[in-house]
Amino acid sequence: MERPEEPRVRLPQLRLDELLEELQARIDAARGTRDRVHSLLEAVLSVGRELELEQALRSIVEAAAVLVDAEYAALGVIGPDGRTLSAFHTVGVSEAEIAAIGPYPEGHGILGELIRHPEPLRLPKISEHPASYGFPPGHPPMNSFLGVPIRVRDQVFGNLYLTEKRGGADFDEEDESVLSTLAVAAGVAIDNARLYEESRLRERWLLANAEIGHCLMSGSERAQALELIAERAREITGSALAAVALPMADTGSLSVEIAVGAEAEAHRGLVLSPQDSLMGLAFSAAAPVSSDDVGHDTRISPEPPRFGGLGPAVAVPIGTGEGGVRGVVLVAREAGRPVFLAKETEMLRGFAGQAAIAMELAERRRDAQQIAVLEDRDRIARDLHDLAIQRLFATGMTLQSAGRFIEHPEAAERVLRAVDDLDETIKIIRSTIFGLRTRAGAGSGGGLRARVVRTVGEAAPVLGLTPSVRMEGLVDTDVPPEIADHVMAVLSEALTNIARHARADRAQVVLTTDGREVCLTVSDDGVGIAPDGRRSGLRNMAERAAKLGGRLELARPDGGGTTLSWRVPLPAG
């Protein structure tokens, strides 16, 4: 007898499909998580490979956009003030769109919220947040938002901003977690890039110092070394202008010896006051002095205009207060460029300190050479005095005594002439000895450059203004003392005329020489020369010029005032 068939236990078909679908979903999720982790690791490796800071920042932004599938991404670098953005790197926005939008954001609205509160921020709709300012005209529409801070050694370097997740979805917790992980790796990459950049910068400063030291110690002219200091400082700091000023003896003022780059002509030869110039303030304090906008800094005299188109600037003393400040180097960037950071200023100060040491060593070497020359002159003078003059004097006495025994009149006359010649020779030798012993002290009363600055300074209270002073060329070397005295007389007369008659608000003194001619130009913005006024002072100046083979010229510029030019040729050789 057949046994009855037992009923089979069957799972409903629908329930089995659900289980299979759930299993497949979990497999897909696991595969997606694995792929995302791989993508994150690849992004971290890609970012970590970059050593150039700008390229590293660009790689971080691109990796962030790919990892969370965002249409737009940006990285904002927080500025030195800790409240605004100093740089902005974007992905997803074309150059044409950027030009239409206008300047990059400074850190207001939602971007500022992340600066004020450096914690991850996730929004389904940007416009619904209380801090939202809206978007400027031309800005692409953006709704969903995800932002995370980037920290470098416990300091917030900047923020990553992601908007518009593709497909219209919102950013989720996993996106936030992935982006936060990338931000940690980005902080390490940025730190490495900054350290690499700093090491390269230090290497460039060291090479520049070595170049300057070699230039000075090889016997090059001081002007060549100063120009090298200015050029290297400008190149390494990325500045538009660099200038070097040195103190003037017995005046307390600074003379701009070298200027290179933008506005160099306006600075070259300028005489600066220690009280109302950036270089003067650095010289007086024996410490760096910086300005965020040198063209509009209230501490700095606007006259004469010399900072057109320039913005951030820093002046650093060459040397220290203990060893004596030997000068000042100024660098200035174009308006709108980043201000000088403390680290940049410190490196520039170290460079200037090394340059001061090289300058001092070179001066000691020149002093030693000068001492050797002076000692040699003293030896020659002693030998001439003790040996040559005494022998000539003895010979003269002998001839004079022998002349008494010569009966022939013509022979006696010749002997007496020989004695007279010996006396003249002794006088010449004595004059040469005097010259050897006094030449080193020539000009000890102060050169023409210092005399001009003193005269202008003394005239300032009478004028009611301080004229700007500019000097170019080897004024102290090329202009002989007799012509220098005429220059000072003309300068005094010109300043007196301004004080008496011009009613000027501004005045300028320019003294230049090219080795062939010296030119003194005194200008003001006053009422000009009256047609019926007394001209005795001008006549005296013209006569001085004519006596030296030069000329006096007067001009009335379009803007008013008077320009006086007194120029005379210099003796050859």
Side-chain angles (χ1 to χ4, degrees), residues 467-522:
S468 65
V469 181
R470 185 194 312 280
M471 284 179 269
E472 296 182 14
L474 301 176
V475 173
D476 289 338
T477 305
D478 289 344
V479 183
E482 58 274 12
I483 293 181
D485 291 339
H486 286 288
V487 171
M488 294 310 303
V490 172
L491 174 61
S492 298
E493 182 68 32
L495 293 175
T496 301
N497 288 343
I498 294 175
R500 289 178 177 173
H501 312 296
R503 300 200 295 275
D505 295 321
R506 292 196 304 271
Q508 184 179 44
V509 175
V510 179
L511 179 64
T512 62
T513 179
D514 58 1
R516 297 185 299 273
E517 180 184 68
V518 61
C519 177
L520 172 67
T521 303
V522 182

Side-chain angles (χ1 to χ4, degrees), residues 15 48 58 60 92 116 132 151 168 219 229 262 386 393 402 443 485 490 499 509 519 537 551 557-558 563:
R15 178 64 177 161
R58 183 74 184 175
I60 291 167
R116 292 186 292 273
S132 177
R151 286 182 169 83
I229 290 172
D386 297 341
F393 187 74
D485 291 339
V490 172
V509 175
C519 177
R551 63 190 184 278
D558 295 336
T563 299

Side-chain angles (χ1 to χ4, degrees), residues 251-542:
T251 66
S253 300
L254 293 172
S255 172
V256 180
E257 300 286 333
I258 298 293
V260 294
E263 296 292 317
E265 286 297 326
H267 284 79
R268 198 173 293 126
L270 200 62
V271 176
L272 302 174
S273 165
Q275 290 80 31
D276 56 6
S277 65
L278 200 67
M279 300 177 93
L281 293 172
F283 180 78
S284 300
V289 177
S290 61
S291 173
D292 293 348
D293 187 359
V294 70
H296 300 89
D297 197 317
T298 56
R299 299 171 298 170
I300 302 169
S301 170
E303 297 295 336
R306 57 193 186 279
F307 293 113
L310 300 176
V314 61
V316 175
I318 301 175
T320 61
E322 295 81 6
V325 179
R326 312 182 71 82
V328 181
V329 57
L330 166 81
V331 288
R333 289 171 175 158
E334 294 174 344
R337 291 286 310 281
V339 299
F340 287 90
L341 302 177
K343 188 171 291 186
E344 291 180 292
T345 303
E346 193 58 35
M347 287 187 180
L348 179 60
R349 188 177 187 180
F351 167 72
Q354 292 296 321
I357 293 173
M359 290 171 67
E360 184 170 357
L361 289 174
E363 286 185 11
R364 294 290 178 269
R365 178 180 172 183
R366 282 194 294 269
D367 288 345
Q369 292 174 341
Q370 184 68 14
I371 289 171
V373 171
L374 294 176
E375 288 177 346
D376 200 35
R377 285 180 176 175
D378 282 343
R379 180 188 59 77
I380 294 171
R382 285 195 306 271
D383 290 347
L384 287 173
H385 183 273
D386 297 341
L387 301 176
I389 287 183
Q390 298 303 324
R391 293 188 64 124
L392 288 172
F393 187 74
T395 302
M397 292 292 291
T398 302
L399 288 175
Q400 198 170 14
S401 299
R404 299 194 191 107
F405 302 103
I406 299 176
E407 296 179 356
H408 195 285
E410 187 175 347
E413 184 182 353
R414 288 187 180 183
V415 169
L416 289 175
R417 280 205 305 267
V419 170
D420 291 339
D421 289 343
L422 287 173
D423 287 341
E424 286 299 320
T425 303
I426 291 172
K427 290 178 182 179
I428 291 171
I429 294 174
R430 281 177 173 163
S431 176
T432 302
I433 293 171
F434 180 78
L436 287 171
R437 288 177 171 170
T438 60
R439 190 170 300 171
S444 58
L448 178 57
R449 186 182 294 265
R451 292 171 68 188
V452 168
V453 174
R454 273 199 302 270
T455 300
V456 172
E458 291 168 357
V462 180
L463 293 167
L465 57 92
T466 301
S468 65
V469 181
R470 185 194 312 280
M471 284 179 269
E472 296 182 14
L474 301 176
V475 173
D476 289 338
T477 305
D478 289 344
V479 183
E482 58 274 12
I483 293 181
D485 291 339
H486 286 288
V487 171
M488 294 310 303
V490 172
L491 174 61
S492 298
E493 182 68 32
L495 293 175
T496 301
N497 288 343
I498 294 175
R500 289 178 177 173
H501 312 296
R503 300 200 295 275
D505 295 321
R506 292 196 304 271
Q508 184 179 44
V509 175
V510 179
L511 179 64
T512 62
T513 179
D514 58 1
R516 297 185 299 273
E517 180 184 68
V518 61
C519 177
L520 172 67
T521 303
V522 182
S523 57
D524 65 76
D525 64 347
V527 297
I529 300 174
D532 56 348
R534 295 180 59 188
R535 305 216 170 209
S536 56
L538 294 175
R539 186 166 55 254
N540 290 338
M541 288 188 269

